[in-house]
């Protein structure tokens, strides 16, 4: 999933920086990728193949994906997966 998302950032966002965070919060693993790229209007976002693949993989592990973005203000994508012990 990280590889797919980094590829999207490099190909489409025109970002000059990106941050990857990996945290364990309560009983979940939370992966956050953010950048300072061109961003987009959420209501006009088309889910390209890359985002659909990431969402599908998260759902396979009973997780979910949340995306926040505004034009000219980058984006932040959060993947939350249950922590299995």
């Amino acid at each position: 999933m990280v590889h797919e998302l980094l590829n999207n950032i490099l190909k489409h966002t025109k970002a000059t920086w990106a941050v990857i965070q990996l945290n364990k919060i309560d009983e979940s693993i939370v992966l956050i990728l953010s950048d300072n790229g061109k961003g987009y209007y959420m209501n006009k976002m088309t889910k390209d193949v890359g985002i659909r693949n990431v969402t599908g993989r998260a759902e396979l592990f009973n997780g979910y994906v949340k995306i926040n973005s505004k034009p000219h203000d980058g984006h932040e994508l959060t993947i939350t997966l249950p922590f299995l012990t």
Side-chain angles (χ1 to χ4, degrees):
M1 287 188 280
V2 173
H3 182 265
E4 184 79 44
L5 294 168
L6 288 176
N7 248 355
N8 282 352
I9 290 170
L10 291 170
K11 287 182 181 179
H12 304 294
T13 68
K14 298 183 181 174
T16 58
W17 58 260
V19 176
I20 302 170
Q21 299 175 58
L22 182 64
N23 303 295
K24 181 179 182 292
I25 300 174
D26 298 322
E27 297 301 316
S28 297
I29 295 293
V30 180
L31 174 67
I32 302 169
L33 282 90
S34 55
D35 67 52
N36 69 335
K38 61 184 179 179
Y40 43 83
Y41 290 104
M42 292 299 296
N43 61 346
K44 294 186 180 187
M45 184 186 95
T46 59
K47 289 193 176 182
D48 66 4
V49 173
I51 295 297
R52 284 197 313 261
N53 285 342
V54 169
T55 301
R57 288 184 202 130
E59 290 171 354
L60 282 174
F61 294 99
N62 297 316
Y64 59 92
V65 175
K66 178 180 165 189
I67 303 171
N68 288 313
S69 184
K70 287 188 265 180
H72 313 293
D73 198 25
H75 88 284
E76 181 176 274
L77 184 139
T78 304
I79 301 169
T80 303
L81 302 170
F83 184 72
L84 305 173
T85 56

Coordinates of all heavy atoms in Angstrom, one line a residue:
M1 N 0.8 -1.2 0.0 CA 0.0 0.0 0.0 C 0.9 1.3 0.0 O 0.6 2.2 -0.7 CB -0.9 0.0 1.2 CG -2.1 -1.0 1.1 SD -3.3 -0.8 2.4 CE -2.5 -1.7 3.7
V2 N 1.9 1.2 0.8 CA 2.8 2.4 0.9 C 3.4 2.7 -0.5 O 3.5 3.8 -1.0 CB 3.9 2.2 2.0 CG1 4.9 3.4 1.9 CG2 3.2 2.2 3.3
H3 N 3.9 1.6 -1.2 CA 4.5 1.8 -2.5 C 3.5 2.4 -3.5 O 3.9 3.3 -4.2 CB 5.0 0.4 -3.0 CG 5.6 0.4 -4.3 ND1 5.0 0.2 -5.5 CD2 6.9 0.7 -4.6 CE1 5.8 0.3 -6.5 NE2 7.0 0.6 -6.0
E4 N 2.3 1.9 -3.5 CA 1.3 2.5 -4.4 C 1.0 3.9 -4.1 O 1.0 4.8 -5.0 CB 0.0 1.7 -4.2 CG -1.1 2.1 -5.2 CD -1.0 1.5 -6.5 OE1 -0.7 0.3 -6.6 OE2 -1.2 2.2 -7.5
L5 N 0.9 4.3 -2.8 CA 0.6 5.7 -2.5 C 1.8 6.6 -2.8 O 1.6 7.7 -3.2 CB 0.3 5.7 -1.0 CG -1.1 5.1 -0.7 CD1 -1.2 4.9 0.8 CD2 -2.2 5.8 -1.3
L6 N 3.0 6.1 -2.5 CA 4.2 7.0 -2.9 C 4.3 7.2 -4.4 O 4.7 8.3 -4.8 CB 5.5 6.3 -2.3 CG 5.6 6.4 -0.8 CD1 6.9 5.7 -0.4 CD2 5.7 7.9 -0.3
N7 N 4.0 6.1 -5.1 CA 4.0 6.3 -6.6 C 3.0 7.3 -7.0 O 3.3 8.2 -7.9 CB 3.6 4.9 -7.2 CG 4.7 4.3 -8.0 OD1 5.8 4.9 -8.1 ND2 4.4 3.1 -8.5
N8 N 1.8 7.3 -6.4 CA 0.8 8.4 -6.7 C 1.3 9.8 -6.4 O 1.1 10.7 -7.2 CB -0.5 8.1 -6.0 CG -1.3 7.0 -6.6 OD1 -1.0 6.5 -7.6 ND2 -2.4 6.6 -5.9
I9 N 1.9 9.9 -5.2 CA 2.5 11.2 -4.9 C 3.5 11.7 -5.9 O 3.5 12.8 -6.4 CB 3.1 11.2 -3.4 CG1 2.0 11.0 -2.4 CG2 3.9 12.4 -3.2 CD1 2.5 10.7 -1.0
L10 N 4.4 10.8 -6.3 CA 5.5 11.2 -7.2 C 4.9 11.5 -8.6 O 5.4 12.4 -9.3 CB 6.5 10.0 -7.3 CG 7.4 9.8 -6.1 CD1 8.2 8.5 -6.2 CD2 8.3 11.0 -5.9
K11 N 3.9 10.8 -9.0 CA 3.4 10.9 -10.4 C 2.4 12.1 -10.6 O 2.3 12.7 -11.6 CB 2.7 9.6 -10.9 CG 3.6 8.5 -11.2 CD 2.9 7.3 -11.7 CE 3.8 6.1 -12.0 NZ 3.0 5.0 -12.4
H12 N 1.6 12.3 -9.5 CA 0.4 13.2 -9.7 C 0.3 14.4 -8.9 O -0.4 15.3 -9.3 CB -0.9 12.3 -9.4 CG -1.0 11.1 -10.2 ND1 -1.1 11.1 -11.6 CD2 -0.9 9.8 -9.9 CE1 -1.2 9.8 -12.0 NE2 -1.1 9.0 -11.0
T13 N 1.0 14.6 -7.8 CA 0.7 15.7 -6.9 C 1.6 16.9 -7.0 O 1.2 17.9 -6.5 CB 0.9 15.2 -5.4 OG1 2.2 14.9 -5.1 CG2 0.0 14.0 -5.1
K14 N 2.7 16.8 -7.7 CA 3.7 17.9 -7.8 C 4.1 18.4 -6.4 O 4.5 19.5 -6.2 CB 3.1 19.1 -8.5 CG 2.8 18.7 -10.0 CD 2.3 19.9 -10.8 CE 1.9 19.4 -12.2 NZ 1.3 20.5 -13.0
A15 N 4.2 17.4 -5.4 CA 4.6 17.7 -4.1 C 6.1 17.9 -4.0 O 6.9 17.3 -4.8 CB 4.2 16.6 -3.1
T16 N 6.6 18.8 -3.1 CA 8.0 18.9 -2.8 C 8.4 18.2 -1.6 O 9.6 18.1 -1.3 CB 8.4 20.4 -2.7 OG1 7.6 21.0 -1.6 CG2 8.1 21.2 -4.0
W17 N 7.4 17.7 -0.8 CA 7.8 16.9 0.4 C 6.6 15.9 0.7 O 5.4 16.2 0.3 CB 8.1 17.7 1.6 CG 7.1 18.6 2.1 CD1 7.1 20.0 1.9 CD2 5.9 18.3 2.9 NE1 5.9 20.5 2.5 CE2 5.2 19.5 3.2 CE3 5.4 17.2 3.5 CZ2 4.0 19.6 3.9 CZ3 4.2 17.2 4.2 CH2 3.6 18.5 4.4
A18 N 6.9 14.8 1.3 CA 5.9 13.9 1.8 C 6.3 13.3 3.1 O 7.5 13.2 3.4 CB 5.7 12.8 0.8
V19 N 5.3 13.0 3.9 CA 5.6 12.4 5.3 C 4.9 11.1 5.4 O 3.7 11.0 5.0 CB 5.2 13.4 6.4 CG1 5.4 12.8 7.8 CG2 6.0 14.7 6.3
I20 N 5.6 10.1 6.0 CA 4.9 8.8 6.3 C 5.0 8.6 7.8 O 6.1 8.7 8.4 CB 5.7 7.7 5.6 CG1 5.7 7.9 4.1 CG2 5.0 6.3 5.9 CD1 6.6 6.9 3.4
Q21 N 3.9 8.4 8.4 CA 3.8 8.1 9.8 C 3.2 6.7 10.0 O 2.2 6.4 9.4 CB 2.9 9.1 10.5 CG 3.4 10.6 10.4 CD 2.4 11.5 11.0 OE1 2.1 11.4 12.2 NE2 1.9 12.4 10.2
L22 N 3.7 6.0 11.0 CA 3.2 4.7 11.3 C 3.0 4.7 12.8 O 4.0 4.8 13.5 CB 4.1 3.5 10.8 CG 3.6 2.1 11.1 CD1 2.2 1.9 10.4 CD2 4.6 1.1 10.7
N23 N 1.8 4.5 13.3 CA 1.5 4.5 14.8 C 0.7 3.3 15.2 O -0.1 2.8 14.4 CB 0.8 5.8 15.1 CG 1.5 7.0 14.7 OD1 2.6 7.3 15.2 ND2 0.9 7.8 13.8
K24 N 0.8 2.9 16.4 CA -0.1 2.0 17.0 C -1.0 2.8 18.0 O -0.5 3.5 18.9 CB 0.6 0.9 17.8 CG -0.4 -0.1 18.4 CD 0.3 -1.2 19.2 CE -0.7 -2.2 19.7 NZ -1.5 -1.7 20.8
I25 N -2.3 2.9 17.7 CA -3.2 3.7 18.6 C -4.3 2.7 19.1 O -5.0 2.1 18.2 CB -3.8 4.8 17.8 CG1 -2.7 5.8 17.3 CG2 -4.8 5.6 18.6 CD1 -3.2 6.9 16.4
D26 N -4.3 2.5 20.4 CA -5.2 1.5 21.0 C -5.0 0.2 20.3 O -3.9 -0.3 20.3 CB -6.7 2.0 20.9 CG -6.9 3.3 21.7 OD1 -6.3 3.5 22.7 OD2 -7.7 4.2 21.2
E27 N -6.0 -0.3 19.7 CA -5.9 -1.7 19.1 C -5.8 -1.6 17.5 O -6.2 -2.5 16.8 CB -7.1 -2.5 19.5 CG -7.2 -2.8 21.0 CD -6.0 -3.5 21.5 OE1 -5.5 -4.5 20.8 OE2 -5.5 -3.1 22.5
S28 N -5.3 -0.5 17.0 CA -5.2 -0.3 15.6 C -3.8 0.2 15.2 O -3.0 0.8 16.0 CB -6.1 0.8 15.1 OG -7.5 0.5 15.4
I29 N -3.4 -0.2 14.0 CA -2.2 0.3 13.3 C -2.7 1.4 12.4 O -3.6 1.2 11.6 CB -1.5 -0.7 12.5 CG1 -0.9 -1.8 13.4 CG2 -0.4 -0.1 11.6 CD1 0.2 -1.4 14.3
V30 N -2.1 2.6 12.5 CA -2.5 3.8 11.7 C -1.4 4.2 10.9 O -0.3 4.6 11.4 CB -3.1 4.9 12.6 CG1 -3.5 6.1 11.8 CG2 -4.2 4.4 13.5
L31 N -1.5 4.2 9.6 CA -0.6 4.7 8.6 C -1.1 6.0 8.0 O -2.2 6.0 7.5 CB -0.3 3.7 7.5 CG 0.6 4.1 6.3 CD1 2.0 4.2 6.8 CD2 0.5 3.0 5.2
I32 N -0.3 7.1 8.1 CA -0.7 8.4 7.5 C 0.4 8.8 6.5 O 1.6 8.8 6.8 CB -0.8 9.4 8.6 CG1 -1.8 9.0 9.7 CG2 -1.2 10.8 8.0 CD1 -1.8 9.8 10.9
L33 N -0.1 9.1 5.3 CA 0.8 9.7 4.3 C 0.2 11.1 4.0 O -1.0 11.2 3.7 CB 0.8 8.9 3.0 CG 1.6 7.6 3.1 CD1 0.9 6.4 3.6 CD2 2.2 7.3 1.8
S34 N 1.1 12.1 4.0 CA 0.7 13.4 3.7 C 1.7 14.1 2.8 O 2.9 13.7 2.8 CB 0.4 14.3 5.0 OG 1.5 14.2 5.8
D35 N 1.3 15.1 2.1 CA 2.2 15.8 1.2 C 1.7 17.3 1.0 O 0.6 17.6 1.5 CB 2.3 15.1 -0.2 CG 1.1 15.1 -1.0 OD1 0.5 16.2 -1.2 OD2 0.6 14.1 -1.4
N36 N 2.5 18.1 0.4 CA 2.2 19.5 0.1 C 1.8 19.7 -1.3 O 2.0 20.8 -1.9 CB 3.3 20.4 0.6 CG 4.5 20.3 -0.3 OD1 4.8 19.2 -0.9 ND2 5.4 21.3 -0.3
G37 N 1.3 18.7 -2.0 CA 1.1 18.7 -3.4 C -0.1 19.6 -3.8 O -0.7 20.3 -2.9
K38 N -0.6 19.5 -5.0 CA -1.6 20.3 -5.5 C -3.0 20.1 -4.9 O -3.9 21.0 -5.0 CB -1.7 20.2 -7.1 CG -2.1 18.8 -7.6 CD -2.0 18.8 -9.1 CE -2.4 17.4 -9.6 NZ -2.4 17.3 -11.0
G39 N -3.2 19.0 -4.3 CA -4.5 18.7 -3.7 C -5.7 18.7 -4.7 O -5.4 18.8 -5.9
Y40 N -6.9 18.5 -4.2 CA -8.0 18.4 -5.0 C -9.3 18.6 -4.2 O -9.3 18.5 -3.0 CB -8.1 17.1 -5.8 CG -7.8 15.9 -4.9 CD1 -8.7 15.3 -4.1 CD2 -6.5 15.4 -4.9 CE1 -8.4 14.2 -3.3 CE2 -6.2 14.3 -4.1 CZ -7.1 13.7 -3.3 OH -6.8 12.7 -2.5
Y41 N -10.4 19.0 -4.9 CA -11.7 19.1 -4.3 C -12.2 17.6 -4.0 O -12.2 16.8 -4.9 CB -12.7 19.8 -5.2 CG -12.5 21.2 -5.3 CD1 -11.9 21.7 -6.5 CD2 -12.8 22.1 -4.3 CE1 -11.7 23.1 -6.6 CE2 -12.5 23.5 -4.4 CZ -12.0 24.0 -5.6 OH -11.8 25.3 -5.7
M42 N -12.5 17.3 -2.8 CA -12.9 16.0 -2.4 C -14.2 15.5 -3.2 O -14.3 14.4 -3.6 CB -13.2 15.9 -0.9 CG -12.0 16.0 -0.1 SD -10.7 14.7 -0.4 CE -11.6 13.3 0.2
N43 N -15.1 16.4 -3.5 CA -16.3 16.0 -4.2 C -16.1 15.8 -5.7 O -16.9 15.2 -6.3 CB -17.4 17.0 -4.0 CG -17.1 18.4 -4.5 OD1 -15.9 18.7 -4.8 ND2 -18.1 19.3 -4.6
K44 N -14.9 16.2 -6.2 CA -14.6 15.9 -7.6 C -13.5 14.9 -7.7 O -13.0 14.6 -8.8 CB -14.1 17.2 -8.2 CG -15.2 18.3 -8.3 CD -14.8 19.5 -9.1 CE -16.0 20.4 -9.1 NZ -15.7 21.5 -10.0
M45 N -13.1 14.3 -6.6 CA -12.0 13.3 -6.7 C -12.5 12.0 -7.4 O -13.6 11.5 -7.1 CB -11.6 12.9 -5.2 CG -10.4 11.9 -5.2 SD -10.0 11.4 -3.6 CE -11.0 9.9 -3.6
T46 N -11.8 11.5 -8.3 CA -12.1 10.3 -8.9 C -11.2 9.2 -8.3 O -10.0 9.5 -8.1 CB -11.8 10.3 -10.5 OG1 -10.5 10.7 -10.7 CG2 -12.7 11.3 -11.1
K47 N -11.7 8.1 -8.0 CA -10.9 7.1 -7.3 C -10.2 6.3 -8.4 O -10.8 5.5 -9.1 CB -11.8 6.2 -6.5 CG -12.2 6.9 -5.2 CD -12.8 5.9 -4.2 CE -13.2 6.7 -3.0 NZ -13.7 5.8 -1.9
D48 N -8.9 6.6 -8.6 CA -8.2 6.0 -9.7 C -7.8 4.5 -9.2 O -8.2 4.1 -8.1 CB -6.9 6.7 -10.0 CG -5.9 6.8 -8.9 OD1 -6.1 6.2 -7.8 OD2 -4.9 7.5 -9.1
V49 N -7.2 3.8 -10.1 CA -6.9 2.4 -9.8 C -6.1 2.3 -8.5 O -6.3 1.4 -7.7 CB -6.2 1.7 -11.0 CG1 -5.8 0.3 -10.7 CG2 -7.2 1.7 -12.2
G50 N -5.1 3.2 -8.4 CA -4.2 3.1 -7.2 C -5.0 3.2 -5.9 O -4.8 2.4 -5.0
I51 N -5.8 4.2 -5.8 CA -6.6 4.4 -4.6 C -7.6 3.2 -4.4 O -7.8 2.8 -3.2 CB -7.4 5.7 -4.6 CG1 -6.4 6.9 -4.7 CG2 -8.3 5.9 -3.4 CD1 -5.5 7.0 -3.4
R52 N -8.2 2.8 -5.4 CA -9.1 1.6 -5.3 C -8.3 0.4 -4.8 O -8.8 -0.4 -3.9 CB -9.8 1.3 -6.6 CG -10.9 2.2 -6.9 CD -11.9 1.7 -8.0 NE -11.2 1.2 -9.2 CZ -11.0 1.8 -10.3 NH1 -11.4 3.1 -10.4 NH2 -10.4 1.2 -11.3
N53 N -7.1 0.2 -5.3 CA -6.3 -1.0 -4.8 C -6.0 -0.8 -3.3 O -6.1 -1.8 -2.6 CB -5.0 -1.1 -5.6 CG -5.2 -1.6 -7.0 OD1 -6.2 -2.2 -7.3 ND2 -4.2 -1.3 -7.9
V54 N -5.6 0.4 -2.9 CA -5.3 0.6 -1.5 C -6.5 0.4 -0.6 O -6.4 -0.3 0.4 CB -4.7 2.0 -1.3 CG1 -4.6 2.4 0.2 CG2 -3.3 2.1 -1.9
T55 N -7.6 0.9 -1.0 CA -8.9 0.7 -0.3 C -9.2 -0.7 -0.2 O -9.6 -1.2 0.9 CB -10.0 1.6 -0.9 OG1 -9.6 2.9 -0.9 CG2 -11.3 1.4 -0.2
G56 N -9.1 -1.4 -1.3 CA -9.4 -2.9 -1.3 C -8.5 -3.7 -0.4 O -9.0 -4.6 0.3
R57 N -7.2 -3.4 -0.4 CA -6.3 -4.1 0.5 C -6.6 -3.8 2.0 O -6.6 -4.7 2.8 CB -4.9 -3.7 0.2 CG -4.4 -4.3 -1.1 CD -2.9 -3.9 -1.4 NE -2.7 -4.1 -2.8 CZ -2.1 -3.1 -3.5 NH1 -1.6 -2.0 -2.9 NH2 -1.8 -3.3 -4.8
A58 N -6.9 -2.5 2.3 CA -7.3 -2.2 3.7 C -8.5 -3.0 4.1 O -8.6 -3.5 5.2 CB -7.5 -0.7 3.8
E59 N -9.5 -3.0 3.2 CA -10.7 -3.8 3.6 C -10.5 -5.3 3.7 O -11.2 -5.9 4.6 CB -11.8 -3.5 2.5 CG -12.3 -2.1 2.5 CD -13.2 -1.7 1.4 OE1 -13.4 -2.5 0.4 OE2 -13.7 -0.5 1.4
L60 N -9.5 -5.8 3.0 CA -9.2 -7.2 3.2 C -8.8 -7.5 4.6 O -9.0 -8.6 5.2 CB -8.1 -7.7 2.3 CG -8.4 -7.9 0.8 CD1 -7.2 -8.2 0.0 CD2 -9.4 -9.1 0.7
F61 N -8.2 -6.5 5.3 CA -7.7 -6.7 6.7 C -8.7 -6.0 7.7 O -8.3 -5.7 8.8 CB -6.3 -6.1 6.8 CG -5.3 -6.9 6.1 CD1 -4.9 -6.4 4.8 CD2 -4.8 -8.0 6.5 CE1 -3.9 -7.1 4.1 CE2 -3.8 -8.8 5.8 CZ -3.4 -8.3 4.6
N62 N -10.0 -5.8 7.3 CA -11.0 -5.2 8.1 C -10.6 -3.8 8.5 O -10.9 -3.3 9.6 CB -11.3 -6.0 9.3 CG -11.9 -7.4 9.0 OD1 -12.7 -7.5 8.1 ND2 -11.4 -8.4 9.6
G63 N -9.9 -3.1 7.6 CA -9.5 -1.7 7.8 C -10.3 -0.8 6.9 O -11.2 -1.1 6.2
Y64 N -9.9 0.5 7.0 CA -10.5 1.5 6.2 C -9.5 2.6 5.8 O -8.5 2.8 6.5 CB -11.8 2.1 6.8 CG -11.5 2.7 8.2 CD1 -11.3 4.1 8.3 CD2 -11.5 2.0 9.3 CE1 -11.0 4.7 9.5 CE2 -11.3 2.6 10.6 CZ -11.1 3.9 10.6 OH -10.8 4.5 11.8
V65 N -9.9 3.4 4.8 CA -9.1 4.5 4.3 C -9.9 5.8 4.4 O -11.0 5.8 4.1 CB -8.7 4.3 2.8 CG1 -7.9 5.5 2.3 CG2 -7.8 3.0 2.7
K66 N -9.2 6.8 4.9 CA -9.8 8.2 5.0 C -8.9 9.1 4.2 O -7.7 9.1 4.4 CB -9.9 8.6 6.4 CG -10.5 10.0 6.7 CD -10.6 10.2 8.2 CE -10.8 11.7 8.4 NZ -10.7 12.1 9.8
I67 N -9.5 10.0 3.4 CA -8.7 10.9 2.6 C -9.2 12.4 2.9 O -10.4 12.6 2.9 CB -8.8 10.7 1.1 CG1 -8.4 9.2 0.8 CG2 -8.0 11.7 0.3 CD1 -8.6 8.8 -0.6
N68 N -8.3 13.3 3.2 CA -8.6 14.7 3.3 C -7.7 15.5 2.3 O -6.5 15.2 2.2 CB -8.2 15.2 4.7 CG -9.2 14.6 5.7 OD1 -10.4 14.7 5.5 ND2 -8.7 14.1 6.8
S69 N -8.3 16.4 1.6 CA -7.6 17.2 0.7 C -8.3 18.5 0.4 O -9.5 18.5 0.5 CB -7.3 16.4 -0.6 OG -6.5 17.2 -1.5
K70 N -7.5 19.5 0.0 CA -8.1 20.8 -0.5 C -7.2 21.2 -1.6 O -6.0 21.0 -1.6 CB -8.1 21.9 0.6 CG -9.1 21.6 1.7 CD -9.2 22.8 2.6 CE -8.3 22.6 3.8 NZ -8.3 23.7 4.8
P71 N -7.7 21.9 -2.6 CA -6.9 22.4 -3.7 C -5.8 23.3 -3.2 O -6.0 24.1 -2.3 CB -7.9 23.2 -4.6 CG -9.2 22.6 -4.3 CD -9.1 22.2 -2.8
H72 N -4.6 23.1 -3.7 CA -3.4 23.8 -3.4 C -3.0 23.7 -1.9 O -2.2 24.5 -1.4 CB -3.6 25.3 -3.7 CG -4.2 25.6 -5.0 ND1 -3.5 25.3 -6.2 CD2 -5.4 26.0 -5.4 CE1 -4.3 25.6 -7.2 NE2 -5.4 26.0 -6.8
D73 N -3.5 22.7 -1.2 CA -3.2 22.5 0.2 C -2.8 21.0 0.5 O -2.9 20.5 1.6 CB -4.3 22.9 1.0 CG -3.9 23.1 2.5 OD1 -2.8 23.4 2.7 OD2 -4.8 23.0 3.4
G74 N -2.3 20.3 -0.6 CA -1.9 18.9 -0.3 C -3.0 18.0 0.0 O -4.2 18.3 -0.2
H75 N -2.6 16.8 0.5 CA -3.6 15.8 1.0 C -3.0 15.0 2.1 O -1.8 15.0 2.3 CB -4.0 14.9 -0.2 CG -3.2 13.7 -0.4 ND1 -1.9 13.8 -1.0 CD2 -3.4 12.4 -0.1 CE1 -1.4 12.5 -1.0 NE2 -2.3 11.7 -0.5
E76 N -3.9 14.4 2.8 CA -3.5 13.4 3.9 C -4.4 12.2 3.7 O -5.6 12.3 3.6 CB -3.8 14.1 5.2 CG -3.4 13.2 6.4 CD -3.5 13.8 7.7 OE1 -2.5 14.5 8.1 OE2 -4.6 13.7 8.3
L77 N -3.8 11.1 3.7 CA -4.5 9.8 3.5 C -4.1 8.9 4.8 O -3.0 8.8 5.1 CB -4.0 9.1 2.3 CG -4.7 7.8 2.0 CD1 -5.0 7.7 0.5 CD2 -4.0 6.6 2.4
T78 N -5.2 8.5 5.4 CA -5.0 7.7 6.6 C -5.6 6.3 6.4 O -6.7 6.1 6.0 CB -5.7 8.3 7.8 OG1 -5.2 9.7 8.0 CG2 -5.5 7.6 9.1
I79 N -4.7 5.3 6.7 CA -5.2 3.9 6.6 C -5.2 3.3 8.1 O -4.2 3.4 8.8 CB -4.2 3.0 5.8 CG1 -4.2 3.6 4.4 CG2 -4.7 1.6 5.8 CD1 -3.1 3.0 3.5
T80 N -6.3 2.8 8.5 CA -6.4 2.3 9.8 C -6.7 0.8 9.7 O -7.7 0.4 9.0 CB -7.6 3.0 10.6 OG1 -7.3 4.4 10.7 CG2 -7.6 2.4 12.0
L81 N -5.9 0.0 10.4 CA -6.0 -1.5 10.3 C -6.1 -2.0 11.8 O -5.4 -1.5 12.6 CB -4.9 -2.1 9.6 CG -4.6 -1.7 8.2 CD1 -3.2 -2.2 7.7 CD2 -5.7 -2.1 7.3
P82 N -6.9 -3.0 12.0 CA -6.9 -3.6 13.4 C -5.5 -4.2 13.7 O -4.9 -4.8 12.8 CB -8.0 -4.7 13.4 CG -8.2 -4.9 11.9 CD -7.8 -3.7 11.1
F83 N -5.0 -4.1 14.9 CA -3.7 -4.6 15.3 C -4.0 -6.1 15.8 O -4.8 -6.3 16.7 CB -3.1 -3.8 16.4 CG -1.8 -4.3 16.9 CD1 -0.7 -4.1 16.1 CD2 -1.6 -4.9 18.1 CE1 0.6 -4.6 16.4 CE2 -0.4 -5.4 18.5 CZ 0.7 -5.2 17.7
L84 N -3.4 -7.0 15.1 CA -3.7 -8.4 15.5 C -2.5 -8.9 16.3 O -1.3 -8.8 15.9 CB -3.8 -9.3 14.2 CG -4.9 -8.8 13.2 CD1 -4.8 -9.6 12.0 CD2 -6.3 -8.9 13.9
T85 N -2.7 -9.5 17.4 CA -1.7 -10.0 18.3 C -1.6 -11.5 18.2 O -2.5 -12.2 17.7 CB -1.9 -9.6 19.7 OG1 -3.1 -10.1 20.2 CG2 -1.8 -8.1 19.9

